[in-house]
Amino acid sequence: MSIEASVDPTDPWIRGAQTFPVLTPEMMVRVKGYGRIEVFEADTPLFERGDRDVDFFLVLDGSITIVTDDVRKGSTALFTYRAGQFTGELNLYNDRQMLVGGRAEAGSRVARVKHADFRRLVSAEPDLGEIVLRAYILRRVGFIRHAQGGVVLVGHRQNGSLIRLQRFLTRNGYPYEILDPEADGEDALLGGLDIHPADLPVVIVPSREIMRNPTSLELAARLGLTEALDPTLVYDVAVVGAGPAGLAAAVYAASEGLDTIVIEALAPGGQAGTSSKIENYLGFPTGISGQALAGRAQIQAQKFGAHLAIARSVTSLECSGSPFLLRLDDDQSLRARSVVVATGARYRKLDVPDFGKYEGQGIQYAATAIEGQLCSGEEAVVVGGGNSAGQAAMFLSRLARHVHILVRGPGLAATMSDYLVQRIATSAQITLHTHTEITALHGDDHLRGVTWTDNRTGDSVTKQIGSLFVMIGAVPNTDWLGGCLGLDQQGFVRTGIDDHGHPTGAPFATTRPGIFAIGDVRSGSIKRVASSVGEGSVVVHAIHDYLNPAP
């Protein structure tokens, strides 16, 4: 059999054996033990787009058709499951809204496993759980790749607000397509909708409802990405921040039976989630993108029962009593017996006139495919000498006409891994400018030019560049702590010592018993993904000791 050269082997829709597996008769018997048999004499809806807590269905005879609501095409049959195949995708592992609907065809016989029993099935039957989880991951990848079951973003591709929405959906694994009226021309989609140029960007959901430049929280709430919080529940562990450290803590805490919730302001991954490729992380010899690593960790945490509240920031922490009270920016609050501070750090801003004016309008803090497409075929500048800057430069060099790296010091060797230093040195697409810093920015409503100056000679160069990637230093995200914890002079959380400077015996314990700090937000931490993951896994032991003190 010949394979067309245009077929992409990474497309989940053509990987039927893994994306749409057929269970063996013995496996089907085991699944039936967790549910009940149902027979449908007529076509019967089983679940609809937007439903939560959906059941798991295994087809015994007949078929189940999966239907997607497309903004352009309306309701469309996507694919059909037959005997031995099962329904569902990643949202069965959490309480988010379904992206698609399902309908049992007349004469079908299925095994229905209630949503509450689904976790028990995949946990107690690890071989089945592996098949199901792999299929669910691939199905979500397929939805994203083919923009099925998602929304339409309408706006100009260079617009900072559109990029913000695109980045939020991408990092949260939600399907979308973009329509740029200026670049793509008029589209029939817009004909019957009340959309004006001043409204852009907008989000159009399948019901054709229009959201005009929504906030991340508004978008998350409308798309069902948020999980409802129970104000009466007291969690064992509240992890604030879903970077590598926070996700690792959630995985280990939930897997060890602790009732765990993670609160994240944007999306899983933190700064690491914006990395185009991490090549020195143990176990991934070909490398892995930060977003993929974070996505897998998120699924892993949810598999063990951890809850994830995204697009929510903790605005304050009340730490005088027990349990601790965390207040969120949407006026909700939650209580927890212990807290893990994993809010990480953010890149510093350049002290250059008009810097704020061009943030999101040419100045970026991440270099993923979203930002990369904005400088395709053009020159770009990366400011910074750490691994994040090196990874960004290597990634952008495949898209941009040329990449300039600017550092104030004499080189990269002291701050960047050697494998990146060597690649940059041998790349014809990258030029390293040492002893150099940005001194001026130029443009109108978007960045159009950059001036940099050699701090030894005073010589300046101005180039027409519309993409500036800033990856310098780190500012800890600790404003929300409100004096609860001891901080060092830079604002990072001190750990391992109490208020009197005495060792606590727990390396990640803060000056407040029951509150722990891990990852980049911790004073003295090593700013590496692997070390953050290690801290997240180790801190759970100290949490157990706090929650269940020895007699």
Side-chain angles (χ1 to χ4, degrees), residues 72 144 147 151-159 162-167 169-170 175-185 187 189 201-202 369-370 373-374:
R72 300 172 184 268
I144 294 171
V151 297
V152 174
L153 302 181
V154 183
H156 304 304
R157 294 180 187 273
Q158 297 279 351
N159 179 270
L162 180 78
I163 295 169
R164 173 184 61 81
L165 294 169
Q166 185 182 3
R167 184 183 295 125
L169 292 172
T170 297
Y176 67 89
E177 62 176 314
I178 295 179
L179 175 63
D180 185 338
E182 188 175 273
D184 302 333
D187 188 274
L189 170 66
V202 302
I370 295 173
Q373 67 182 357
L374 302 177

Side-chain angles (χ1 to χ4, degrees), residues 11-22 81 85 135 138-139:
D11 186 346
W13 287 172
I14 67 171
R15 297 170 61 181
Q18 292 181 315
T19 309
F20 310 109
V22 178
Y81 295 120
Q85 296 180 308
L138 289 171
R139 290 173 192 179

Side-chain angles (χ1 to χ4, degrees), residues 161-420:
S161 294
L162 180 78
I163 295 169
R164 173 184 61 81
L165 294 169
Q166 185 182 3
R167 184 183 295 125
F168 176 79
L169 292 172
T170 297
R171 292 191 59 187
N172 281 289
Y174 199 91
Y176 67 89
E177 62 176 314
I178 295 179
L179 175 63
D180 185 338
E182 188 175 273
D184 302 333
E186 292 297 322
D187 188 274
L189 170 66
L190 303 180
L193 298 176
D194 184 23
I195 298 177
H196 304 282
D199 296 330
L200 302 181
V202 302
V203 180
I204 308 176
V205 301
S207 65
R208 297 175 75 81
E209 173 190 342
I210 300 171
M211 302 184 71
R212 291 169 170 81
N213 195 16
T215 65
S216 296
L217 180 57
E218 290 169 341
L219 186 58
R222 177 61 185 84
L223 300 182
L225 295 176
T226 56
E227 295 189 24
L229 300 179
D230 182 354
T232 66
L233 179 64
V234 178
Y235 294 93
D236 291 325
V237 187
V239 181
V240 187
L247 289 171
V251 167
Y252 281 87
S255 68
E256 295 180 18
L258 297 177
D259 197 354
T260 305
I261 186 168
V262 184
I263 306 101
E264 167 56 41
L266 178 63
Q271 276 192 7
T274 67
S275 177
S276 55
K277 179 170 282 194
I278 303 169
E279 292 193 66
N280 57 356
Y281 188 69
L282 187 67
F284 293 91
T286 60
I288 185 171
S289 73
Q291 182 181 334
L293 184 64
R296 294 182 184 190
Q298 173 190 349
I299 296 165
Q300 196 171 13
Q302 291 176 327
K303 183 183 79 170
F304 289 119
H307 301 275
L308 186 65
I310 66 160
R312 288 167 168 159
S313 298
V314 179
T315 56
S316 66
L317 172 64
E318 294 186 13
C319 56
S320 57
S322 180
F324 301 110
L325 179 67
L326 296 89
R327 299 191 183 279
L328 309 184
D329 59 354
D330 60 354
D331 296 326
Q332 296 193 74
S333 61
L334 60 89
R335 295 180 297 162
R337 298 168 63 201
S338 66
V339 175
V340 177
V341 180
T343 42
R346 60 191 182 275
Y347 291 120
R348 295 183 184 275
K349 300 181 180 182
L350 294 174
D351 185 15
V352 182
D354 291 330
F355 186 87
K357 174 183 177 181
Y358 297 120
E359 284 185 287
Q361 298 295 127
I363 295 176
Q364 309 292 347
Y365 298 97
T368 68
I370 295 173
E371 294 81 17
Q373 67 182 357
L374 302 177
C375 60
S376 179
E378 302 176 358
E379 290 188 86
V381 172
V382 176
V383 180
N387 274 11
S388 295
Q391 291 159 351
M394 291 305 305
F395 171 72
L396 294 170
S397 69
R398 304 197 303 266
L399 303 169
R401 186 168 73 248
H402 198 82
V403 178
H404 301 272
I405 301 180
L406 275 55
V407 294
R408 291 188 298 177
L412 301 173
T415 55
M416 188 180 294
S417 294
D418 184 66
Y419 79 94
L420 285 170

